[in-house]
Amino acid sequence: MKTRPHPWWQQSTVYQIYPRSFCDANGDGIGDLKGITSKLDHIKALGAEVIWLSPVYQSPNDDNGYDISDYRAIHPEFGTMTEFEAMLAAMHERGLKLVMDLVVNHCSDEHPWFQQARTSRDNPYHDWFIWREPVKREGEHAKHREPNNWESVFGGSAWEWNEATGEYYLHMFTRKQPDLNWENPELRRAVYGIMRFWLDKGVDGFRMDVINMISKPYGPEGTLPDAAIRHESRFLQSGFWMSCNGPRLLEFLREMRREVLDHYEVLTVGECPMVTVELAAEITDAETGALDMVFQFEHMDVDTRRGTPDGKWALKPLELPELKTILNRWQEGLAERGWNSLYWCNHDQPRPVSRFGDPAYRVESATMLATCLHLMRGTPYVYQGEELGMTNVPFATIEECRDIETLNFHRLATTERGWTDAQAMASIRAKGRDNARVPMPWNDGPNGGFGSAAPWIGVHPDYREVNAAAAVADADSVFHYYRRLIALRKEHPILTDGRYVPLIPDHPHLFAYLRELENERWLVVCNFSGQEEALDLPDTVAGRVGELIIGNLGGSAGCEPGRLLLRPWEARAHRMEAAANMRSTETRRAK
Ligand code: TEU
Ligand code: CA
């Protein structure tokens, strides 16, 4: 295999900050830029080299900043532009790069563009959004006049009535997040201008919010076709499905690359729900694509009964072979072309320890999950608090929750869909986005050291035990294990360049794979269970298990020839020693 030239982001680890919940310097209960600046050494000590900052722009906060009303202004609750520039300088001084969130599938209904657009059909900004006439329907559907049957991602119709123009506008998220019309070249030019504004300030790239939703599937005469309910029997939330991966997506992204990205040294990652491996390869192709990597979502659906009306809230136990099938397919699918991003969580997802591990084995399962992910090929992302092994939050009542998606779900589920409050709360504890949004616990002091005032959302009840100060002081903590994994990636080209070879895909509890580069081979084995498990090395794996490179439990339960014993939630990476006349896995597999 060819060793590829390394763009800087291929050996780096990205750390995600959710600004509202990271650190509150001025004591108003809301995280802010000065707070972030004061905690950069934590990220530096971890070894991450890039920071992805969720939105800090002017916003009415209907969706916590993902509804932007001024793309060139800092929200006063986070600070000022001067403080932003000071934060960026402090990052660069430490060799940290900053990737901003770019949210341009939609803006806020309070953005001047939309304020103008909604006044009249003749307003020049009208065409920057997506408008449709009401539709006459017959029979039992007569009272529905929405242009089509699309549902918003957060529940309810994706269309909202606008009296002044006598039309509906499309909003794939809340009604305060109208979708922008990328068919309009003026709108696209305005977006590129915003991107240049931040890049010229010195930011180092963009994470692009739902960027594969910007091209809508227009039919003849600009119609937006009804979605087939149960498309591929997976997604009932079919407006969501319909608005992803549209026909002009690559064209728009390539234009963005030509107009903006090619002129800067940046990292770009596109958030792409429902993206396929094939499309991701096209988007991330170094020559003909447009972005460096995408966030795919398939592995975020393994514990969800998609295709039911309750979407992500309908829980399903994890089946490890399904998770392996997905991640193996992404590893192999982007091996020759494109590049993977690697993540277990972000500000939209519950905590991985509670989801794929076991809070009763908090440290063990957090470090096992980290090993499994960080030794794959791609750029790893660590979401604030993940490096502490944080768990989900035991929300008892809906009053403790803040997220608009969660509040919508609770209301619709208990009023229209026949869920009890107890059932809804159980799903919210398992899947709600607020699990990841409670304040970062810095120490065991008041409010977990987040700030002097009561925070906008309650602190995690475990903060006295699980906090950054305790983790940094304990050499065996989750934090120090992440630090070692992040350092390993910098030291060993096999992690960046090596081939990924999945093993034992059907094993119900073990996730195992090889990494291979030239004569070097590593074996990675992770136990996704609370039981001891034995791995009998398949005879396709030539050679002997050698030196332990990294392991999360210290010591070793043992290793007989051809057999590896794994303790509950144990993860290990070993160097393989070549057997005398070893044939490569490749030739064996080819037979
Ligand atoms: O998320 C879009 C998205 O498709 C999902 O992550 C979605 O939020 C999740 O499936 C719901 O459970 C992005 C942002 O990351 C998210 O915070 C925003 O709310 C959303 O776009 C709208 O901007
Ligand atoms: Ca504050």
Side-chain angles (χ1 to χ4, degrees):
M1 191 169 62
K2 274 203 314 273
T3 312
R4 48 188 295 50
H6 284 143
W8 58 268
W9 38 263
Q10 287 194 338
Q11 282 179 308
S12 302
T13 298
V14 183
Y15 186 91
Q16 184 191 351
I17 292 180
Y18 194 67
R20 264 189 114 63
S21 308
F22 196 61
C23 181
D24 171 22
N26 70 345
D28 63 356
I30 297 170
D32 45 49
L33 300 181
K34 276 191 159 167
I36 294 170
T37 311
S38 73
K39 296 296 185 188
L40 294 179
D41 289 331
H42 172 82
I43 299 166
K44 183 72 188 167
L46 188 64
E49 291 168 300
V50 186
I51 292 170
W52 152 26
L53 181 61
S54 278
V56 291
Y57 316 98
Q58 185 69 255
S59 162
N61 278 330
D62 192 48
D63 186 19
N64 277 7
Y66 282 90
D67 48 317
I68 297 169
S69 52
D70 185 346
Y71 287 97
R72 298 174 194 237
I74 298 294
H75 196 302
E77 69 188 9
F78 292 131
T80 63
M81 190 59 88
T82 310
E83 285 166 3
F84 174 85
E85 284 160 2
M87 177 188 77
L88 181 58
M91 289 176 181
H92 286 168
E93 268 165 36
R94 289 168 176 77
L96 299 168
K97 301 200 186 247
L98 176 62
V99 165
M100 298 286 277
D101 219 307
L102 183 73
V103 189
V104 288
N105 172 69
H106 45 267
C107 62
S108 164
D109 66 339
E110 297 182 31
H111 193 292
W113 297 342
F114 191 74
Q115 293 292 310
Q116 291 271 327
R118 74 185 315 167
T119 58
S120 108
R121 295 191 186 197
D122 300 327
N123 187 284
Y125 289 99
H126 184 263
D127 189 50
W128 287 31
F129 296 86
I130 300 172
W131 304 94
R132 289 295 176 274
E133 306 268 344
V135 168
K136 259 211 165 72
R137 293 178 204 272
E138 313 265 298
E140 56 167 329
H141 300 297
K143 63 179 200 294
H144 296 290
R145 304 178 59 208
E146 283 85 358
N148 68 23
N149 67 354
W150 292 11
E151 276 195 29
S152 96
V153 176
F154 295 155
S157 170
W159 298 96
E160 183 72 12
W161 181 248
N162 183 52
E163 195 58 49
T165 57
E167 298 161 297
Y168 285 94
Y169 66 86
L170 180 70
H171 61 89
M172 291 313 305
F173 294 89
T174 77
R175 67 170 68 100
K176 286 182 66 63
Q177 293 168 295
D179 279 48
L180 290 161
N181 177 19
W182 276 69
E183 306 290 318
N184 183 307
E186 300 284 316
L187 174 272
R188 300 205 298 276
R189 213 165 302 146
V191 169
Y192 305 149
I194 292 163
M195 294 173 73
R196 283 189 213 101
F197 172 82
W198 291 101
L199 292 168
D200 292 340
K201 277 196 184 295
V203 312
D204 306 286
F206 293 107
R207 174 269 187 186
M208 302 180 186
D209 194 65
V210 288
I211 199 66
N212 66 332
M213 292 172 80
I214 58 177
S215 162
K216 306 294 193 270
Y218 295 104
E221 283 136 44
T223 51
L224 285 169
D226 268 346
I229 301 297
R230 285 183 178 280
H231 194 282
E232 297 184 342
S233 70
R234 280 184 69 207
F235 298 101
L236 190 96
Q237 236 182 2
S238 42
F240 192 13
W241 194 90
M242 291 295 282
S243 62
C244 291
N245 310 334
R248 298 186 70 189
L249 173 63
L250 271 154
E251 177 195 335
F252 293 154
L253 292 178
R254 285 181 184 133
E255 180 184 84
M256 178 195 281
R257 173 178 176 172
R258 216 170 40 242
E259 295 291 320
V260 186
L261 301 172
D262 272 347
H263 307 280
Y264 301 84
E265 269 289 306
V266 291
L267 179 163
T268 53
V269 50
E271 189 203 25
C272 294
M274 314 219 191
V275 72
T276 59
V277 177
E278 294 70 32
L279 180 58
E282 275 194 86
I283 295 174
T284 63
D285 185 294
E287 304 303 321
T288 60
L291 306 180
D292 297 328
M293 56 195 127
V294 304
F295 290 129
Q296 60 85 16
F297 279 79
E298 284 188 69
H299 66 307
M300 292 287 107
D301 274 340
V302 290
D303 55 352
T304 285
R305 291 183 206 283
R306 289 281 185 185
T308 70
D310 300 311
K312 80 172 213 180
W313 305 104
L315 309 180
K316 169 171 158 305
L318 168 70
E319 307 250 8
L320 186 65
E322 196 190 335
L323 180 66
K324 287 190 279 188
T325 303
I326 293 167
L327 293 177
N328 292 343
R329 184 154 41 73
W330 279 89
Q331 286 289 302
E332 294 185 303
L334 298 186
E336 301 299 329
R337 187 185 177 207
W339 187 253
N340 267 295
S341 64
L342 308 171
Y343 75 98
W344 286 134
C345 63
N346 58 41
H347 65 292
D348 293 333
Q349 300 295 335
R351 292 292 183 176
V353 170
S354 301
R355 188 177 193 180
F356 304 127
D358 182 353
Y361 290 85
R362 192 181 63 81
V363 174
E364 294 84 344
S365 57
T367 48
M368 181 283 287
L369 288 166
T371 314
C372 184
L373 195 75
H374 281 242
L375 300 186
M376 289 183 180
R377 187 151 187 258
T379 298
Y381 287 72
V382 178
Y383 176 70
Q384 65 184 48
E386 178 184 346
E387 80 281 21
L388 309 179
M390 287 182 78
T391 54
N392 282 349
V393 182
F395 297 114
T397 67
I398 191 67
E399 284 70 39
E400 294 168 36
C401 300
R402 298 287 175 273
D403 173 31
I404 181 106
E405 181 193 39
T406 295
L407 303 182
N408 278 353
F409 159 69
H410 188 272
R411 182 172 38 77
L412 291 172
T414 55
T415 58
E416 291 176 16
R417 294 200 206 129
W419 293 54
T420 63
D421 171 72
Q423 288 168 330
M425 289 312 299
S427 276
I428 288 168
R429 280 190 293 275
K431 297 305 271 305
R433 303 196 297 182
D434 284 328
N435 281 301
R437 298 181 180 185
V438 298
M440 176 80 173
W442 292 102
N443 56 47
D444 60 6
N447 307 315
F450 171 72
S452 56
W456 66 279
I457 184 171
V459 291
H460 196 295
D462 291 349
Y463 77 87
R464 283 185 192 82
E465 186 202 337
V466 182
N467 63 63
V472 170
D474 172 5
D476 294 327
S477 67
V478 179
F479 177 87
H480 288 292
Y481 193 79
Y482 266 86
R483 196 174 53 69
R484 287 168 60 204
L485 282 171
I486 292 168
L488 216 51
R489 169 167 300 271
K490 304 287 298 174
E491 284 159 27
H492 298 277
I494 192 171
L495 291 177
T496 327
D497 302 321
R499 174 191 300 276
Y500 174 94
V501 184
L503 300 175
I504 53 165
D506 300 324
H507 195 290
H509 296 143
L510 294 180
F511 198 138
Y513 56 85
L514 297 172
R515 301 298 311 272
E516 303 181 335
L517 186 67
E518 289 153 16
N519 295 326
E520 201 180 350
R521 298 164 84 221
W522 290 16
L523 168 69
V524 181
V525 194
C526 302
N527 185 357
F528 276 68
S529 87
Q531 291 150 227
E532 236 180 58
E533 295 285 344
L535 168 67
D536 292 304
L537 281 179
D539 49 351
T540 48
V541 180
R544 288 196 313 115
V545 175
E547 170 212 358
L548 179 72
I549 300 158
I550 189 165
N552 67 339
L553 299 190
S556 153
C559 171
E560 302 158 18
R563 180 161 236 244
L564 223 57
L565 296 178
L566 278 290
R567 290 167 280 176
W569 305 104
E570 184 169 20
R572 286 151 65 177
H574 286 271
R575 210 178 288 282
M576 296 294 293
E577 285 168 8
N581 54 359
M582 171 189 141
R583 284 175 297 174
S584 81
T585 327
E586 201 177 342
T587 42
R588 280 167 180 262
R589 284 200 308 166
K591 291 215 306 195

